[in-house]
Amino acid sequence: MARTIGSHGPTTMEAIRKAGLRLIFQHGYEAMSLRQLAAEVGIQPGSLYNHISTKQELLAELIQDHINDLLRELELALRDRQGPVERLRAFVAFHVSYHMTRKREVFIANSELRSLDPRNYEAVVALRGSYERRLADILSDGVAQGVFDVDDVQVATFAIIALLTGLCSWYRPGGRLTKDAIIAAHEKLVLSGVMPRNAEAAQAGGDRAAPHSG
């Protein structure tokens, strides 16, 4: 039986968002009804309209808030990072870490993009473009400084994001690899794909020559 949470605005809205996220992830946007959402939250169906006007509004807010969080936290992750290589490592570590803990949000933002109406779709695509440009700028800086060898920055941007986001389909907490090991593996894949072959070989040689700590 659903828990009755009362009618306090902010508390109820947060419960609606959490329940909506869970139900859309489990059943899909089209299959979730507002009646089902109200029952999950523990309020009357008509009371939902005190907090959201439509199911479409809820979906758009969930996706936009997710991408805004992504952008805000990325800026913090890149703060004080110097040089394209260090910034690319920071981007990879952030993206992987974030997507390990936000599987529902990531899944909905990708799979339910098609369910947005044109106005909301355009707004979300613009936000996604802002995130993609952060990575594209890092790659462009690296190419300009001669530390990255990238034929097409836009293609590389899409490919890297697809690679990093792909872990949502297989990552499970408590698996064989630690979080740090998974991040390191993705950093190696990404860097090996954008660094000139001679620089990659030199880096590999340096890593082998580095003394072990402890």
Side-chain angles (χ1 to χ4, degrees), residues 10-24 37 41 48 52 57-66 69 105 108:
T11 303
T12 303
M13 188 61 221
E14 182 61 21
I16 290 170
R17 291 168 60 84
K18 288 181 178 179
L21 188 70
R22 183 169 59 253
L23 291 172
I24 294 172
L37 176 60
V41 175
L48 277 176
I52 59 172
E57 178 191 325
L58 176 62
L59 176 65
E61 287 188 359
L62 288 174
I63 296 177
Q64 290 182 42
D65 286 353
H66 157 66
D69 285 347
E105 292 90 335
I108 290 171

Side-chain angles (χ1 to χ4, degrees), residues 28-173:
Y29 171 76
E30 293 298 336
M32 185 196 76
S33 69
L34 291 182
R35 182 173 295 276
Q36 181 184 23
L37 176 60
E40 185 76 10
V41 175
I43 60 178
Q44 294 298 316
S47 298
L48 277 176
Y49 297 106
N50 294 324
H51 307 280
I52 59 172
S53 59
T54 62
K55 189 169 72 165
Q56 174 70 201
E57 178 191 325
L58 176 62
L59 176 65
E61 287 188 359
L62 288 174
I63 296 177
Q64 290 182 42
D65 286 353
H66 157 66
I67 302 176
N68 281 322
D69 285 347
L70 196 66
L71 283 164
R72 182 171 55 254
E73 293 185 29
L74 175 62
E75 292 306 314
L76 293 175
L78 294 178
R79 182 180 295 174
D80 300 326
R81 300 289 183 167
Q82 303 297 320
V85 173
E86 184 180 355
R87 288 174 65 79
L88 183 56
R89 287 185 183 276
F91 180 94
V92 172
F94 163 75
H95 192 97
V96 171
S97 298
Y98 185 98
H99 285 65
M100 283 178 172
T101 59
R102 304 289 186 91
K103 183 175 181 178
R104 289 176 175 172
E105 292 90 335
V106 172
F107 177 83
I108 290 171
N110 291 327
S111 67
E112 297 295 353
L113 194 62
R114 65 185 185 276
S115 299
L116 294 171
D117 64 25
R119 179 177 59 84
N120 287 325
Y121 178 89
E122 290 177 6
V124 166
V125 168
L127 282 175
R128 284 166 58 123
S130 296
Y131 186 78
E132 291 159 358
R133 281 193 296 275
R134 300 298 195 279
L135 174 57
D137 288 346
I138 294 171
L139 296 177
S140 294
D141 288 346
V143 171
Q145 295 179 33
V147 295
F148 294 156
D149 181 12
V150 177
D151 292 331
D152 190 302
V153 168
Q154 192 69 69
V155 170
T157 296
F158 291 152
I160 290 170
I161 289 177
L163 168 68
L164 300 180
T165 305
L167 69 82
C168 290
S169 66
W170 57 263
Y171 172 72
R172 298 292 183 275

